[in-house]
Amino acid sequence: MSFVLVDTPRPHIALVTLNRPERMNAMAFDVMIPLREALEEVSADNDIRVVVLTGAGQGFCSGADLQNAGKVPNVEGLTTTSIARRSMDLLNDVMLALRRMNQPVIGAINGAAIGGGFCLSMVTDMRIAAEEAYFRAAGINNGLTSTELGISYLLPRAIGSSRAFEIMLSGRDVDALEAERIGLVSRTVPAAKLLDTCYDIADRIISFSRVGTELTKRMLWSGMEAGGFESHMQHEGTAQLYVRLTTENFDEAIRARRDRRPPTYED
């Protein structure tokens, strides 16, 4: 059985599905290592313009598998401390693989996103939630910290520091309607419409130029990490000039608008 499925439901769209529904797609290493490999392969596929990430069954991802974490490769002869460090690096690599994908990534949050699953959802570029979805920072409920896999960096930037502190320290559930209200997801839809909604957003993104969408994604992430406003403006300006002066995209957009037709971007 493959724990990660990759399909092409519409042209230029890859659907990546965590496929361990009986465990609510828990983050066993047998799932996470194939997920990283699949993400890297899809990122390198130049026919794919947008990626949708979801979970099979009733959950998006329930976080750490507390019954069977799977096998960590290449740890023979290491101490427990070193194995723990290698294990965390493997999970971090999944987050970084998502973050570095060339394509925009839409998180189709179909159900529970708990603990590490909450973290996984936050690394997607945008999130659409089914009405049944909910989010929980579970670590604090298990005597641990709720901070893992970059969520203490991402969550305050998405919803503000006060809300992030309250959610992370209380360990309470955030349902889909609240998630939409506070900006954790961009919209909430019925479960039956979740994937089609994501595909429709993807189709609109695909209608724009590849270099335009890829650079916009990079600039948005870069802005989150920028050390200062003025230096980031210079960075943005360079990206804008790069596209304007080295492609005919702008001229094609003007021609297409005049001719009342969709533009054809050659980048």
Side-chain angles (χ1 to χ4, degrees), residues 16 22 42 49 53 58-59 69 83 85 102 114 116 122 129 132 144 151 167 178 181 194 210 222 240 263:
V16 180
E22 72 283 359
V42 170
R49 295 286 310 280
L53 177 66
Q58 301 301 308
I83 292 172
R85 179 67 266 166
N102 291 313
I114 300 172
M122 292 303 302
E132 296 81 2
L144 306 172
I151 197 169
I167 290 169
E178 181 184 1
R181 179 175 59 81
L194 177 61
R210 181 192 302 272
S222 180
Q240 185 72 284

CSV table of all heavy atoms in Angstrom, one decimal, residues 16 22 42 49 53 58-59 69 83 85 102 114 116 122 129 132 144 151 167 178 181 194 210 222 240 263:
chain,number,residue,atom,x,y,z
A,16,VAL,N,-1.7,15.7,-4.1
A,16,VAL,CA,-0.8,14.9,-3.3
A,16,VAL,C,-1.7,14.5,-2.0
A,16,VAL,O,-2.1,15.4,-1.3
A,16,VAL,CB,0.5,15.6,-2.9
A,16,VAL,CG1,1.3,14.7,-2.0
A,16,VAL,CG2,1.2,16.0,-4.1
A,22,GLU,N,-6.8,5.0,8.1
A,22,GLU,CA,-7.1,4.2,9.3
A,22,GLU,C,-6.4,4.8,10.5
A,22,GLU,O,-6.8,4.6,11.7
A,22,GLU,CB,-6.8,2.8,9.1
A,22,GLU,CG,-5.3,2.4,9.1
A,22,GLU,CD,-4.6,2.7,7.8
A,22,GLU,OE1,-5.3,3.2,6.9
A,22,GLU,OE2,-3.4,2.5,7.7
A,42,VAL,N,7.4,16.2,-7.5
A,42,VAL,CA,6.4,17.1,-8.1
A,42,VAL,C,6.9,18.5,-8.4
A,42,VAL,O,6.7,19.1,-9.4
A,42,VAL,CB,5.1,17.1,-7.2
A,42,VAL,CG1,4.2,18.2,-7.7
A,42,VAL,CG2,4.4,15.8,-7.2
A,49,ARG,N,1.7,23.1,-12.4
A,49,ARG,CA,1.8,24.5,-12.1
A,49,ARG,C,1.3,24.8,-10.6
A,49,ARG,O,1.6,25.9,-10.1
A,49,ARG,CB,0.9,25.3,-13.1
A,49,ARG,CG,1.5,25.2,-14.5
A,49,ARG,CD,2.7,26.1,-14.7
A,49,ARG,NE,2.4,27.5,-14.2
A,49,ARG,CZ,1.8,28.4,-14.8
A,49,ARG,NH1,1.3,28.2,-16.0
A,49,ARG,NH2,1.6,29.6,-14.3
A,53,LEU,N,-2.6,19.7,-1.5
A,53,LEU,CA,-2.2,18.7,-0.5
A,53,LEU,C,-3.4,18.4,0.4
A,53,LEU,O,-4.0,19.4,0.9
A,53,LEU,CB,-1.0,19.2,0.3
A,53,LEU,CG,-0.6,18.3,1.5
A,53,LEU,CD1,0.0,17.0,1.0
A,53,LEU,CD2,0.4,19.1,2.4
A,58,GLN,N,-11.2,10.8,6.8
A,58,GLN,CA,-11.8,11.8,7.6
A,58,GLN,C,-10.9,12.9,8.2
A,58,GLN,O,-11.3,13.9,8.7
A,58,GLN,CB,-12.6,11.2,8.8
A,58,GLN,CG,-13.7,10.2,8.4
A,58,GLN,CD,-14.7,10.9,7.5
A,58,GLN,OE1,-15.3,11.9,7.9
A,58,GLN,NE2,-15.0,10.3,6.4
A,59,GLY,N,-9.6,12.6,8.1
A,59,GLY,CA,-8.6,13.5,8.7
A,59,GLY,C,-7.6,14.0,7.7
A,59,GLY,O,-7.3,13.4,6.7
A,69,ALA,N,5.5,4.6,15.1
A,69,ALA,CA,6.2,5.7,14.5
A,69,ALA,C,6.9,5.4,13.2
A,69,ALA,O,7.3,6.2,12.4
A,69,ALA,CB,7.1,6.4,15.4
A,83,ILE,N,19.5,9.6,17.5
A,83,ILE,CA,18.3,9.1,16.7
A,83,ILE,C,17.2,10.2,16.8
A,83,ILE,O,16.6,10.4,15.8
A,83,ILE,CB,17.9,7.8,17.3
A,83,ILE,CG1,18.9,6.7,17.0
A,83,ILE,CG2,16.5,7.4,16.6
A,83,ILE,CD1,18.6,5.4,17.6
A,85,ARG,N,17.5,13.4,17.2
A,85,ARG,CA,17.9,14.5,16.3
A,85,ARG,C,17.7,14.2,14.9
A,85,ARG,O,17.1,15.0,14.1
A,85,ARG,CB,19.4,14.8,16.6
A,85,ARG,CG,20.0,16.0,15.8
A,85,ARG,CD,19.3,17.3,16.2
A,85,ARG,NE,18.2,17.7,15.3
A,85,ARG,CZ,17.4,18.6,15.6
A,85,ARG,NH1,17.4,19.3,16.7
A,85,ARG,NH2,16.4,18.9,14.7
A,102,ASN,N,8.5,24.8,-6.2
A,102,ASN,CA,8.3,25.8,-7.2
A,102,ASN,C,6.9,26.3,-7.3
A,102,ASN,O,6.6,27.5,-7.5
A,102,ASN,CB,8.9,25.3,-8.5
A,102,ASN,CG,10.4,25.1,-8.5
A,102,ASN,OD1,11.1,26.0,-8.1
A,102,ASN,ND2,10.8,24.0,-9.0
A,114,ILE,N,-4.0,18.0,13.5
A,114,ILE,CA,-3.6,18.0,14.9
A,114,ILE,C,-2.1,17.9,15.1
A,114,ILE,O,-1.4,17.2,14.4
A,114,ILE,CB,-4.3,16.8,15.6
A,114,ILE,CG1,-5.8,16.9,15.5
A,114,ILE,CG2,-3.9,16.7,17.1
A,114,ILE,CD1,-6.5,15.6,16.0
A,116,GLY,N,1.5,17.9,14.7
A,116,GLY,CA,2.3,18.0,13.5
A,116,GLY,C,1.5,18.2,12.3
A,116,GLY,O,2.0,18.8,11.3
A,122,MET,N,0.2,24.5,8.0
A,122,MET,CA,0.6,25.9,8.0
A,122,MET,C,1.8,26.2,7.0
A,122,MET,O,2.0,27.4,6.7
A,122,MET,CB,1.1,26.3,9.4
A,122,MET,CG,0.0,26.3,10.5
A,122,MET,SD,-1.3,27.5,10.1
A,122,MET,CE,-0.4,29.0,9.9
A,129,ALA,N,-10.6,25.0,3.9
A,129,ALA,CA,-11.1,24.0,4.9
A,129,ALA,C,-12.5,23.5,4.6
A,129,ALA,O,-13.4,24.3,4.2
A,129,ALA,CB,-11.1,24.6,6.3
A,132,GLU,N,-16.0,20.4,8.3
A,132,GLU,CA,-15.7,19.5,9.4
A,132,GLU,C,-14.3,19.6,9.9
A,132,GLU,O,-13.9,19.0,10.9
A,132,GLU,CB,-15.9,18.0,8.9
A,132,GLU,CG,-17.3,17.7,8.5
A,132,GLU,CD,-17.7,18.1,7.1
A,132,GLU,OE1,-16.8,18.7,6.4
A,132,GLU,OE2,-18.9,17.9,6.7
A,144,LEU,N,4.0,18.2,26.6
A,144,LEU,CA,5.1,18.7,25.8
A,144,LEU,C,4.9,20.1,25.5
A,144,LEU,O,4.1,20.8,26.1
A,144,LEU,CB,5.2,17.9,24.5
A,144,LEU,CG,5.3,16.3,24.7
A,144,LEU,CD1,5.2,15.6,23.3
A,144,LEU,CD2,6.6,15.9,25.4
A,151,ILE,N,5.9,25.9,13.6
A,151,ILE,CA,4.6,26.5,13.8
A,151,ILE,C,4.7,27.8,14.7
A,151,ILE,O,3.9,28.7,14.5
A,151,ILE,CB,3.6,25.5,14.4
A,151,ILE,CG1,2.2,26.1,14.2
A,151,ILE,CG2,3.9,25.2,15.9
A,151,ILE,CD1,1.1,25.1,14.5
A,167,ILE,N,-4.1,30.0,21.3
A,167,ILE,CA,-4.4,28.7,20.7
A,167,ILE,C,-3.3,27.7,21.1
A,167,ILE,O,-3.6,26.6,21.5
A,167,ILE,CB,-4.5,28.8,19.2
A,167,ILE,CG1,-5.8,29.6,18.8
A,167,ILE,CG2,-4.4,27.5,18.5
A,167,ILE,CD1,-5.9,30.0,17.4
A,178,GLU,N,-14.2,29.3,12.9
A,178,GLU,CA,-13.3,30.2,13.6
A,178,GLU,C,-12.0,30.4,12.8
A,178,GLU,O,-11.5,31.5,12.7
A,178,GLU,CB,-13.0,29.7,15.0
A,178,GLU,CG,-12.1,30.7,15.7
A,178,GLU,CD,-11.7,30.1,17.1
A,178,GLU,OE1,-12.1,29.0,17.5
A,178,GLU,OE2,-10.9,30.9,17.8
A,181,ARG,N,-12.6,32.9,10.2
A,181,ARG,CA,-12.8,34.3,10.8
A,181,ARG,C,-11.4,34.9,11.2
A,181,ARG,O,-11.2,36.1,11.1
A,181,ARG,CB,-13.7,34.2,12.1
A,181,ARG,CG,-13.9,35.5,12.8
A,181,ARG,CD,-14.9,35.4,13.9
A,181,ARG,NE,-14.5,34.4,14.9
A,181,ARG,CZ,-13.7,34.7,15.9
A,181,ARG,NH1,-13.1,35.9,16.0
A,181,ARG,NH2,-13.4,33.7,16.8
A,194,LEU,N,-14.8,20.7,-1.5
A,194,LEU,CA,-13.5,21.1,-1.1
A,194,LEU,C,-12.4,21.0,-2.2
A,194,LEU,O,-11.8,22.0,-2.6
A,194,LEU,CB,-13.0,20.2,0.1
A,194,LEU,CG,-11.6,20.5,0.6
A,194,LEU,CD1,-11.4,22.0,1.0
A,194,LEU,CD2,-11.2,19.6,1.7
A,210,ARG,N,3.9,31.6,-15.5
A,210,ARG,CA,4.6,30.8,-14.6
A,210,ARG,C,5.6,31.6,-13.7
A,210,ARG,O,5.6,31.5,-12.5
A,210,ARG,CB,5.4,29.7,-15.3
A,210,ARG,CG,6.2,28.8,-14.4
A,210,ARG,CD,7.2,27.9,-15.1
A,210,ARG,NE,6.5,27.1,-16.2
A,210,ARG,CZ,6.0,25.9,-15.9
A,210,ARG,NH1,6.1,25.3,-14.7
A,210,ARG,NH2,5.4,25.2,-16.9
A,222,SER,N,9.4,35.6,1.3
A,222,SER,CA,10.5,36.4,1.6
A,222,SER,C,10.1,37.6,2.5
A,222,SER,O,10.8,38.0,3.4
A,222,SER,CB,11.2,36.9,0.3
A,222,SER,OG,12.3,37.8,0.6
A,240,GLN,N,10.1,42.5,-9.9
A,240,GLN,CA,9.2,43.1,-10.9
A,240,GLN,C,9.9,43.5,-12.2
A,240,GLN,O,9.4,43.2,-13.3
A,240,GLN,CB,8.5,44.3,-10.2
A,240,GLN,CG,7.4,44.9,-11.1
A,240,GLN,CD,6.2,44.0,-11.1
A,240,GLN,OE1,6.1,43.0,-11.9
A,240,GLN,NE2,5.1,44.4,-10.4
A,263,PRO,N,-4.8,35.9,-22.3
A,263,PRO,CA,-3.4,36.1,-22.7
A,263,PRO,C,-2.7,34.8,-22.8
A,263,PRO,O,-3.1,33.8,-22.2
A,263,PRO,CB,-2.8,36.9,-21.6
A,263,PRO,CG,-3.7,36.7,-20.4
A,263,PRO,CD,-5.1,36.4,-21.0
